Amino acid sequence: MSNKIIQAIYNDDDVLMAAVKKIKAKELHIEEIFTPFPVHGLDKAMGLPHTRIAVAAFIYGCIGLAVASSLMGYIMIADWPQDIGGKPSFSFLTNLPAFVPIMFELTVFFGAHLMVITFYMRSRLWPFKEAENPDVRTTDDHFLMEIAVDNNESELTALLEETGAVEVIVTEKH
């Protein structure tokens, strides 16, 4: 297998989307696409599998709800019960209406923060990590598609130029 990769640069998201569909119709594997903004439907056109991030968010929210419930049950009922505003403090269920806002907030807090941590770990975005962007223009107004070369460099170059690529570059894989 060759160590080369072809980078096709597009200047319009609609042209990129049509190119992705044409390349996937030829059963070629697209390594990566770099875009300056999210392109609706690109993941489906590339054939990427569905993400399980919603399941993770639900689990993280449940963890937050459990932590909030146990924390309030321990602090307000078992450890230091106080009579605040005439409300009795001998039962968790009796005080549940007062605990609902705190439970909601900690559910959202845990869900949001753990999702960010999960995203960074899953994307391998560590502190001080060097950027992997192959072309600076993809952060402004261009789109870049990378396809691995497998002894078909000339055919791939011709296909990418035919799909509307502004620039086609053959480079070594990092």
Side-chain angles (χ1 to χ4, degrees):
M1 178 138 193
S2 176
N3 214 18
K4 291 183 180 178
I5 197 160
I6 288 188
Q7 298 176 344
I9 297 177
Y10 296 88
N11 58 6
D12 186 18
D13 58 336
D14 293 329
V15 175
L16 172 73
M17 186 66 87
V20 168
K21 289 176 182 175
K22 192 168 191 176
I23 289 167
K24 291 308 271 183
K26 300 246 185 206
E27 297 182 2
L28 294 169
H29 176 69
I30 298 171
E31 294 287 328
E32 188 68 69
I33 295 181
F34 297 89
T35 64
F37 54 84
V39 178
H40 180 70
L42 187 60
D43 53 343
K44 191 175 277 188
M46 286 180 65
L48 297 177
H50 288 286
T51 179
R52 295 182 301 257
I53 202 136
V55 175
F58 179 74
I59 291 170
Y60 295 153
C62 289
I63 291 170
L65 184 64
V67 167
S69 299
S70 59
L71 187 68
M72 287 183 302
Y74 174 72
I75 291 172
M76 298 299 290
I77 307 301
D79 185 40
W80 196 343
Q82 295 179 6
D83 187 3
I84 300 172
K87 293 182 183 139
S89 58
F90 43 79
S91 168
F92 183 83
L93 290 176
T94 307
N95 290 323
L96 188 61
F99 293 162
V100 168
I102 299 165
M103 290 168 29
F104 172 76
E105 290 298 329
L106 280 180
T107 300
V108 172
F109 179 85
F110 270 70
H113 285 80
L114 291 176
M115 287 298 296
V116 168
I117 292 168
T118 301
F119 171 75
Y120 283 142
M121 289 175 61
R122 180 73 178 99
S123 302
R124 294 183 179 96
L125 292 173
W126 315 116
F128 310 110
K129 182 181 181 203
E130 200 170 315
E132 296 177 2
N133 196 352
D135 195 327
V136 192
R137 296 176 290 179
T138 60
T139 61
D140 188 23
D141 61 349
H142 283 74
F143 305 86
L144 187 136
M145 181 189 320
E146 289 185 341
I147 301 175
V149 176
D150 189 26
N151 298 327
N152 58 349
E153 183 178 328
S154 58
E155 297 93 20
L156 244 132
T157 305
L159 175 65
L160 291 170
E161 287 173 351
E162 177 187 315
T163 60
V166 176
E167 190 176 332
V168 177
I169 307 163
V170 180
T171 61
E172 292 294 321
K173 199 183 291 189
H174 299 104

